[in-house]
Amino acid sequence: MDPVHGFIGTSNISHNTNLMIAAAAATTNITTTSSSSSSSGGSATNQLSRYENQKRRDWNTFGQYLRNHRPPLSLSRCSGAHVLEFLRYLDQFGKTKVHMQLCPFFGHPNPPAPCTCPLRQAWGSLDALIGRLRAAFEENGGSPETNPFGARAVRLYLREVRDSQAKARGISYEKKKRKRPPQAPLPPPQPVISSSPNLQ
């Protein structure tokens, strides 16, 4: 799965093919940084800052996509269908191999050889992107009731992508259940002693 961080890194989306590919290269250039010397408080602050910066870049990129839309589309008229169009548009810049059903490596998590199956955006990246855009929409004055990123069609699409990629790549996206710590055995019940005399 592609890492989530750095999914959308540029707002310069153009209809020119070369510029789009160049933007995609910058967009999907994933880098993961960590600092072992930083304190836990500083690390949390940096993580929050990276998330906020990423969310702002995602929001700017989506706004540029709407402006480049033909005809241009205002945010107030954006619907879940336009969000799906945006997600499908991003697929051409994906880096995750998704095997077709006729591919001999369908369902293999570690295929032994290359194949000609298409590259797609990983489900985890799309899911995280929608989460950031959904938050950004409301932070920029949008109403939760009209949030296109929370539309039912978008949720169903993400679920379909998750299930299809899990089958094609032979992996599971199911969350692992946390194991509960073993509980101490209960003490055996004490016998009840009757205080009444035995009747003969």
Side-chain angles (χ1 to χ4, degrees), residues 11-77:
S11 61
N12 184 22
I13 296 180
S14 170
H15 285 286
N16 182 280
T17 304
N18 293 331
L19 291 180
M20 285 169 54
I21 295 176
T27 294
T28 54
N29 183 18
I30 312 297
T31 57
T32 304
T33 59
S34 61
S35 175
S36 58
S37 60
S38 62
S39 64
S40 59
S43 177
T45 302
N46 292 338
Q47 185 69 30
L48 178 62
S49 176
R50 285 196 296 268
Y51 172 80
E52 293 299 328
N53 290 335
Q54 187 66 65
K55 182 169 58 177
R56 183 173 61 252
R57 288 194 296 268
D58 294 342
W59 184 246
N60 291 337
T61 300
F62 185 73
Q64 187 68 39
Y65 177 81
L66 294 181
R67 289 189 290 274
N68 289 340
H69 194 275
R70 293 295 177 267
L73 187 65
S74 64
L75 184 62
S76 60
R77 299 185 62 184

Side-chain angles (χ1 to χ4, degrees), residues 32 58 68 86 100 120 142 160:
T32 304
D58 294 342
N68 289 340
F86 177 63
M100 309 297 287
R120 295 284 185 262
E160 179 183 340

Side-chain angles (χ1 to χ4, degrees), residues 57-127:
R57 288 194 296 268
D58 294 342
W59 184 246
N60 291 337
T61 300
F62 185 73
Q64 187 68 39
Y65 177 81
L66 294 181
R67 289 189 290 274
N68 289 340
H69 194 275
R70 293 295 177 267
L73 187 65
S74 64
L75 184 62
S76 60
R77 299 185 62 184
C78 180
S79 67
H82 297 112
V83 175
L84 295 182
E85 184 181 285
F86 177 63
L87 295 181
R88 295 188 180 105
Y89 161 80
L90 293 176
D91 253 344
Q92 63 185 307
F93 308 123
K95 292 187 176 182
T96 298
K97 179 75 71 173
V98 179
H99 300 290
M100 309 297 287
Q101 287 191 351
L102 296 179
C103 177
F105 303 137
F106 181 85
H108 287 254
N110 299 302
C115 65
T116 59
C117 292
L119 296 175
R120 295 284 185 262
Q121 295 290 353
W123 165 77
S125 297
L126 294 178
D127 187 58

